């Protein structure tokens, strides 16, 4: 057991006591000592003297009060010692004079301690407020709704008293779609915030544009690689620039098509939740993590999966899927999520988070991020249960009919293109049809 593990709960207890305990309650303890000790001394035998216990009064006060009250209680304790010595006629004896000097000196030191502690707590409060504001700017809270989808999220940093670490997520609206990214920077905690800020800044700068998803991810690769190299050069750590990267999944959910387009850069696959099943959306041609794209000349290829009304999409980082129990078993995310597919995004995120804490052998030792996205019923569209057929237009797809419609989920004879069997556009842009601009929410 470390010193920090002992002092941190103690300091939290003291702070909570100071906030919750009413003034007369904690002030009664030192005042009772100041009154009781002279009275007890008067009745005790001459060989027993309790004056040295008066130091407890200013000591208790310095823990729960400020310097002014500590000085007041210390002064009352000194006066009580003088009264007790006068009552017994021993005020000028060597023993009482030593007690008097010790009590006065210790009371003065406790006043200085209370003054310095209050100053440090005020400074810590200011630093925390600045830190919280900065972290909220870097990792902005996700909206409850973006276009035709509802969103719920959860984020936990591995380091105490921090709101952001090595995991990241963000959402952006294009004119006719909602785009999300979830990622994991190499490393965790405060040491990875710089890389997190680079990745999120690049996504927010480009996601609202009308460029196809492969072009967006290509832009993210260039921006992340340049940003990581620049930061490493300015901080004097060029040696590890080749070891820094970001795994990510970037998804695009069009407003007028019941599909989701996915590009994976070395990240765990999202889960499609539907009818008590959790199906991993495994991209056939995943890319290297962002920041390492220079090692490969392959272009980014998106995979398209059905995403009907009422379906839910669970995006997560390895802080969720790689949490272990006491036996070292990984958290069965797909199995647990499949049992809660009828939950709305908010309750589903809360349920998985609570279950993850119960499953873990101890405190979560890695950053954790999770997003649940649900496609809601369009206001002017007829009701469609999630199990109905889904069709979208893509003239480049090999299964497209003469009118360019790709039929999925048992709509045609032959193998369906369900969540477990995605189709990939050879050009990477088959599903990005140009449309008239819509109002961006």
């Amino acid at each position: 057991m470390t010193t920090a593990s002992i002092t941190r709960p103690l300091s939290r207890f003291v702070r909570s006591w100071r906030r919750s305990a009413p003034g007369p309650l904690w002030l009664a303890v030192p005042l009772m000592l100041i009154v009781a000790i002279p009275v007890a001394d008067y009745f005790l035998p001459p060989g027993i003297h309790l004056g040295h216990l008066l130091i407890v009064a200013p000591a208790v006060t310095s823990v729960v009060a400020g310097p002014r009250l500590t000085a007041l209680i210390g002064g009352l304790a000194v006066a009580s010692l003088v009264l007790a010595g006068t009552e017994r006629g021993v005020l000028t004896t060597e023993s009482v004079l030593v007690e008097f000097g010790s009590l006065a000196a210790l009371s003065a030191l406790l006043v200085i301690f209370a003054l310095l502690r209050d100053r440090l707590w005020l400074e810590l409060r200011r630093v925390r407020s600045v830190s919280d504001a900065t972290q909220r700017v870097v990792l902005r809270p996700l909206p409850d709704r973006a276009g035709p989808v509802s969103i719920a999220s959860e984020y936990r940093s591995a380091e105490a008293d921090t709101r952001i670490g090595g995991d990241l997520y963000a959402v952006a609206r294009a004119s006719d779609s909602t785009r999300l990214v979830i990622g994991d920077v190499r490393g965790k905690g405060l040491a990875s915030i710089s890389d997190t800020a680079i990745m999120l800044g690049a996504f927010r700068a480009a996601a609202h544009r009308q460029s196809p998803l492969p072009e967006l991810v290509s832009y993210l690769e260039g921006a992340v690689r340049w940003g990581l190299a620049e930061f490493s050069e300015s901080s004097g750590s060029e040696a590890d620039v080749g070891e820094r990267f970001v795994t990510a999944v970037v998804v695009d959910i069009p407003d007028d098509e019941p599909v989701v387009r996915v590009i994976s850069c070395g990240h765990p696959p999202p889960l499609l939740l539907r009818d008590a099943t959790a199906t991993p959306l495994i991209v056939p041609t995943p890319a290297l993590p962002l920041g390492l794209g220079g090692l490969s000349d392959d272009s980014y290829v998106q995979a398209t999966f059905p995403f009907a009304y009422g379906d839910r999409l669970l995006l997560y980082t390895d802080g969720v899927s790689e949490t272990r129990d006491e036996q070292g078993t990984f958290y069965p995310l797909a199995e647990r999520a499949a049992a809660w597919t009828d939950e709305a995004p908010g309750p589903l995120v809360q349920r998985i988070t609570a279950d993850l804490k119960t499953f873990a052998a101890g405190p979560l030792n890695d950053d954790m991020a999770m997003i649940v996205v649900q496609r809601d019923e369009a206001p002017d569209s007829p009701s469609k249960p999630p199990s109905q057929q889904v069709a979208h237009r893509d003239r480049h797809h090999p299964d497209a009919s003469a009118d360019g419609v790709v039929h999925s989920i048992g709509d045609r004879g032959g193998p369906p293109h369900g969540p477990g069997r995605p189709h990939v556009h050879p050009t990477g842009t088959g599903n990005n049809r140009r449309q008239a601009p819509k109002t961006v929410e």
Side-chain angles (χ1 to χ4, degrees):
M1 181 178 293
T2 63
T3 304
S5 64
I6 300 175
T7 57
R8 187 179 295 126
L10 180 60
S11 63
R12 290 177 181 172
F13 170 75
V14 172
R15 288 197 299 269
S16 64
W17 185 22
R18 293 185 68 193
R19 289 192 299 266
S20 60
L25 179 62
W26 58 257
L27 191 58
V29 176
L31 289 178
M32 288 176 59
L33 288 173
I34 291 172
V35 174
I37 288 176
V39 173
D41 258 3
Y42 181 78
F43 294 101
L44 289 174
I48 301 177
H49 181 52
L50 302 179
H52 57 278
L53 295 178
L54 286 168
I55 189 57
V56 175
V60 170
T61 307
S62 67
V63 173
V64 296
R68 293 183 180 179
L69 279 176
T70 302
L72 175 62
I73 296 299
L76 292 176
V78 171
S80 178
L81 178 62
V82 172
L83 178 61
T86 303
E87 287 176 346
R88 305 183 66 173
V90 294
L91 181 60
T92 58
T93 62
E94 183 178 350
S95 175
V96 174
L97 289 176
V98 170
E99 289 179 2
F100 178 83
S102 300
L103 179 59
L106 287 174
S107 297
L109 290 175
L110 289 171
V111 171
I112 296 174
F113 161 77
L115 179 63
L116 294 177
R117 181 206 57 211
D118 283 2
R119 286 183 177 178
L120 290 175
W121 278 3
L122 288 174
E123 182 179 355
L124 179 61
R125 191 177 303 170
R126 289 193 296 267
V127 170
R128 281 182 174 175
S129 64
V130 173
S131 174
D132 289 347
T134 303
Q135 293 180 66
R136 288 191 186 98
V137 170
V138 175
L139 189 69
R140 302 172 191 169
L142 299 187
D144 295 332
R145 188 174 183 82
V149 298
S150 300
I151 303 172
S153 61
E154 181 69 23
Y155 192 99
R156 298 293 173 91
S157 176
E159 295 193 18
D161 300 325
T162 58
R163 297 177 180 271
I164 184 174
D167 288 358
L168 58 94
Y169 54 47
V171 61
R173 279 289 296 165
S175 65
D176 57 357
S177 68
T178 301
R179 292 177 168 180
L180 300 100
V181 63
I182 189 167
D184 187 358
V185 174
R186 180 180 178 269
K188 62 182 179 181
L190 293 173
S192 57
I193 289 182
S194 61
D195 298 352
T196 301
I198 291 171
M199 174 66 183
L200 290 175
F203 177 80
R204 292 177 182 133
H208 66 280
R209 300 175 183 174
Q210 299 304 111
S211 57
L213 199 60
E215 293 183 16
L216 169 61
V217 179
S218 180
Y219 172 84
L220 292 179
E221 162 61 30
V224 169
R225 196 190 325 169
W226 175 82
L228 295 181
E230 183 185 43
F231 183 82
S232 297
E233 183 178 354
S234 62
S235 61
S237 56
E238 297 93 331
D240 66 342
V241 64
E243 301 176 1
R244 300 170 65 184
F245 54 83
V246 182
T247 67
V249 164
V250 186
V251 303
D252 182 83
I253 303 174
D255 295 349
D256 58 349
E257 292 183 87
V259 298
V260 57
R261 303 171 184 130
V262 181
I263 291 181
S264 176
C265 300
H267 198 78
L271 294 177
L272 180 64
L273 308 181
R274 174 194 298 166
D275 297 335
T277 61
T279 306
L281 302 186
I282 301 176
V283 176
T285 54
L288 291 174
L290 298 173
L292 302 179
L295 303 177
S296 174
D297 296 331
D298 295 338
S299 59
Y300 295 99
V301 180
Q302 69 182 12
T304 304
F305 303 90
F307 189 50
Y309 300 112
D311 287 352
R312 295 166 184 84
L313 190 66
L314 173 59
L315 301 99
Y316 57 94
T317 60
D318 58 7
V320 178
S321 58
E322 295 184 3
T323 295
R324 299 173 183 263
D325 62 6
E326 295 179 351
Q327 287 74 38
T329 305
F330 287 120
Y331 179 68
L333 177 60
E335 176 184 338
R336 302 293 176 89
W340 304 319
T341 56
D342 57 341
E343 297 276 0
L348 177 58
V349 166
Q350 296 174 6
R351 184 174 288 240
I352 295 177
T353 302
D355 187 59
L356 190 67
K357 292 179 182 178
T358 304
F359 179 86
L364 301 179
N365 57 5
D366 195 5
D367 300 323
M368 181 269 284
M370 182 169 39
I371 307 174
V372 173
V373 184
Q374 175 179 303
R375 179 181 283 278
D376 296 323
E377 189 73 32
D380 55 349
S381 64
S383 176
K384 297 181 182 180
S387 58
Q388 280 189 0
Q389 61 188 15
V390 178
H392 66 276
R393 292 185 178 275
D394 188 350
R395 297 185 182 276
H396 298 282
H397 194 274
D399 291 339
S401 58
D403 60 353
V405 176
V406 179
H407 301 271
S408 335
I409 313 184
D411 193 41
R412 297 176 55 184
H417 295 280
R421 300 186 60 180
H423 68 264
V424 182
H425 301 288
T427 62
T429 60
N431 265 355
N432 290 277
R433 297 183 290 117
R434 297 288 182 179
Q435 300 181 359
K438 301 180 180 179
T439 302
V440 179
E441 295 185 9

